Amino acid sequence: MQVPEIRLIRRLDCYDSWVHTATTTSSERAPRIAALIVFVGYLIYLGERSIVVAKGNISSLALIGTTFSNRRQLPSYLYQHHGNGYDGQFFLRLALDPFVLRLHAFGITLNGAFRDQRIVYPFLAWLISLGQHHWVPVTLVIVNLIAVTVIAYMGAKLAHNTAHPAMVGVLLGGYFGYTMSTGRDLAEPTAAAFLLVAMYLFEHDHLVFAGIAFAFAGLALETELIVPIALGLIWLLVLVRKRRSTMNPAVFLIPGLAALGFQGLLHVVLGKVAISGDLRGNLGIPVYSVLVGIVHHAHALSATNLIWFGQLVIIALFVVLAAMNLKSTEVPLYLKVAWGLMLILTLSLSGEVWNHSSYFRATDILWLTSVLIWSRSRPTHWWPAYLGYIATIVSVVPLLLFF
């Protein structure tokens, strides 16, 4: 016959075992839950935008403008808008054949050699289309739908030690900037998906594979190179202080060499330094362009400007929350350095970014790093996440009604 104390101890042991199992199961399910929520949300959003806004012609999402296209040379199944169009038209052009790097092809003219350096997103769309040109407008949407799902999944994986990893995954994948990107055939979601995969591989010591993923991220969008640059700076700092670093330099050398190699290829093919046009167009005087942008949007009261200010406030909130938690030992050093570098870059962006309502898609790395720093510092209050969700819902409304 068991004494009461022994029975009580065994019951407590069983309870602890059940709690541990339940917590582990919840942590394992969180990435799948986050991915499912984001996938369904974007599927509904992109479906409505393709059927209602684009009136069934999904190529309309790329916003091919008359300024950069010739109707007589443009494939008949592609819809042409009057005016300048938008950046998605250049990704669509490259997706029709990513091996044709010249500035003019298929009736569309690239507005700079820097467009060619962002090759991964159109290449994946071309790959899924199996080279069938008429499928490209569809595969561009599919690639981005997969990308935001991966962002949510990997975001939850990276936030595994937080109280609500699924909430973090949805917050990352549901960034309002990605609603603009997915709705207009842009590369930010694809680049960010590769970036988060690379960060996860790095944190689990798969450094060579992480370097390869960083390379894909950097060839999707050059801003993604911020993270491997941060890793390279840390490696140098450790080398200077200790004269020996345990980090495999492949994690930042692979993406660096890939970026330089592709720039060299573009120089041979086009006779131009592709990245130079990108730097001239997107960099300005630090802080000055931010202030000019604020004045510009405050000049007139409109729904677009109100949404812009709301988005700016939400981003600023998470930047402040990240700054307040930089001393947290739960946050890895590389994430802090990458956040700092991206903050400097964001404040240095030109009026081309700050004077237009592009849903801050160019600052998505600042968003990702800020949210991860905040969430991984084990916050006690989660109301900022709900504000992020509300900002996305409000931001989506105009995109459900207009191009």
Side-chain angles (χ1 to χ4, degrees), residues 65-397:
T66 52
T67 303
F68 296 102
S69 63
N70 186 323
R71 180 70 268 180
R72 288 177 297 178
Q73 299 175 345
L74 201 64
S76 59
Y77 53 85
L78 296 180
Y79 188 88
Q80 187 183 43
H81 296 262
H82 181 74
N84 291 332
Y86 206 67
D87 293 356
Q89 62 189 319
F90 307 121
F91 289 112
L92 187 148
R93 207 299 279 152
L94 289 169
L96 291 172
D97 192 339
F99 299 100
V100 177
L101 297 174
R102 61 179 182 269
L103 297 185
H104 181 81
F106 302 102
I108 300 174
T109 301
L110 304 182
N111 65 340
F114 69 92
R115 297 292 179 183
D116 286 296
Q117 71 189 12
R118 302 167 181 176
I119 195 65
V120 169
Y121 171 49
F123 176 80
L124 291 175
W126 170 83
L127 194 65
I128 295 176
S129 74
L130 301 177
Q132 301 299 310
H133 291 170
H134 61 281
W135 279 107
V136 164
V138 178
T139 57
L140 283 167
V141 174
I142 291 174
V143 170
N144 267 339
L145 180 59
I146 295 171
V148 290
T149 305
V150 171
I151 291 170
Y153 183 85
M154 297 310 304
K157 294 282 281 186
L158 286 166
H160 64 91
N161 63 339
T162 66
H164 304 287
M167 185 180 290
V168 177
V170 174
L171 190 60
L172 294 178
Y175 175 50
F176 43 77
Y178 295 148
T179 63
M180 171 70 78
S181 299
T182 56
R184 292 190 177 183
D185 294 344
L186 306 173
E188 285 83 11
T190 300
F194 276 109
L195 182 68
L196 291 182
V197 168
M199 290 165 62
Y200 179 81
L201 290 171
F202 170 76
E203 292 191 13
H204 288 76
D205 294 323
H206 303 297
L207 301 189
V208 174
F209 289 111
I212 294 171
F214 277 131
F216 278 105
L219 292 176
L221 273 178
E222 55 279 2
T223 48
E224 262 61 11
L225 292 173
I226 283 286
V227 180
I229 287 173
L231 292 171
L233 291 175
I234 293 170
W235 183 83
L236 284 174
L237 181 62
V238 172
L239 204 65
V240 169
R241 286 188 174 184
K242 299 182 178 179
R243 298 186 180 180
R244 184 174 179 273
S245 175
T246 57
M247 184 195 303
N248 186 343
V251 73
F252 58 84
L253 287 179
I254 292 175
L257 292 173
L260 288 173
F262 198 65
Q263 287 291 322
L265 174 64
L266 293 177
H267 186 266
V268 171
V269 174
L270 302 174
K272 300 179 179 180
V273 180
I275 199 171
S276 61
D278 185 23
L279 295 175
R280 285 196 305 270
N282 291 320
L283 289 181
I285 301 172
V287 182
Y288 174 77
S289 295
V290 181
L291 298 176
V292 171
I294 291 173
V295 172
H296 172 80
H297 288 280
H299 183 69
L301 184 64
S302 66
T304 299
N305 288 339
L306 288 175
I307 290 174
W308 187 89
F309 274 108
Q311 292 169 345
L312 178 62
V313 168
I314 294 298
I315 292 174
L317 170 64
F318 278 94
V319 167
V320 170
L321 290 172
M324 292 171 60
N325 290 285
L326 287 178
K327 293 183 179 180
S328 173
T329 57
E330 302 288 340
V331 181
L333 178 60
Y334 86 94
L335 191 56
K336 299 175 184 178
V337 176
W339 175 85
L341 292 175
M342 192 61 208
L343 179 60
I344 294 171
L345 178 60
T346 298
L347 295 175
S348 303
L349 292 174
S350 68
E352 188 69 24
V353 175
W354 289 100
N355 293 343
H356 298 90
S357 181
S358 58
Y359 281 37
F360 294 95
R361 61 186 181 87
T363 63
D364 68 313
I365 306 307
L366 182 62
W367 173 263
L368 296 178
T369 53
S370 295
V371 171
L372 284 173
I373 289 173
W374 166 72
S375 63
R376 292 180 69 163
S377 62
R378 298 178 182 269
T380 55
H381 301 288
W382 288 83
W383 57 265
Y386 296 108
L387 291 180
Y389 300 151
I390 293 171
T392 296
I393 293 170
V394 173
S395 299
V396 161
V397 174

